Amino acid sequence: MRILFVGDVVGKTGRTAISEHLPGMIRDWKLDLVIVNGENAAGGFGITEAIYNDFIDAGADAVTLGNHAWNQKEALVSRSDHSPVPGLLFPRRDHKWPR
């Protein structure tokens, strides 16, 4: 099984790198599971639902969080399929692992 864990995506530069490079990495490296740490993805502090969805759309299977995850007013404060707990792994809804 090939697993990629992308640690600490920070701000717009990090988000752009994910959207531009992750799909090709998944294809070229035949990755089975991709986990992205998104706690600093919104301007270096926190994550929003839109950013979470961008990571999933780019091919991430799950997004991890940490102590900065709740620094945005648009943070992942309520998800119908998961409890918002710092450090929790937020998997994509279809849970088709491995690819």
Side-chain angles (χ1 to χ4, degrees):
M1 177 176 260
R2 294 174 183 244
I3 299 171
L4 174 67
F5 186 94
V6 181
D8 217 354
V9 175
V10 179
K12 185 164 180 64
T13 302
R15 296 191 318 265
T16 299
I18 293 295
S19 65
E20 290 180 0
H21 299 289
L22 186 58
M25 293 167 69
I26 292 168
R27 180 191 65 244
D28 296 344
W29 296 348
K30 297 177 177 62
L31 297 172
D32 298 304
L33 177 65
V34 176
I35 302 168
V36 174
N37 178 273
E39 72 170 302
N40 292 310
F45 298 99
I47 187 170
T48 65
E49 185 85 18
I51 292 170
Y52 165 84
N53 288 328
D54 289 344
F55 289 159
I56 297 299
D57 291 344
D61 295 298
V63 178
T64 61
L65 305 177
N67 64 323
H68 294 150
W70 317 114
N71 289 6
Q72 299 293 323
K73 65 181 177 181
E74 300 89 8
L76 294 167
V77 295
S78 177
R79 296 191 45 83
S80 62
D81 52 348
H82 303 287
S83 300
V85 178
L88 183 66
L89 182 74
F90 279 96
R92 59 187 305 134
R93 289 188 176 98
D94 57 11
H95 301 200
K96 294 180 181 171
W97 301 335
R99 293 186 198 285

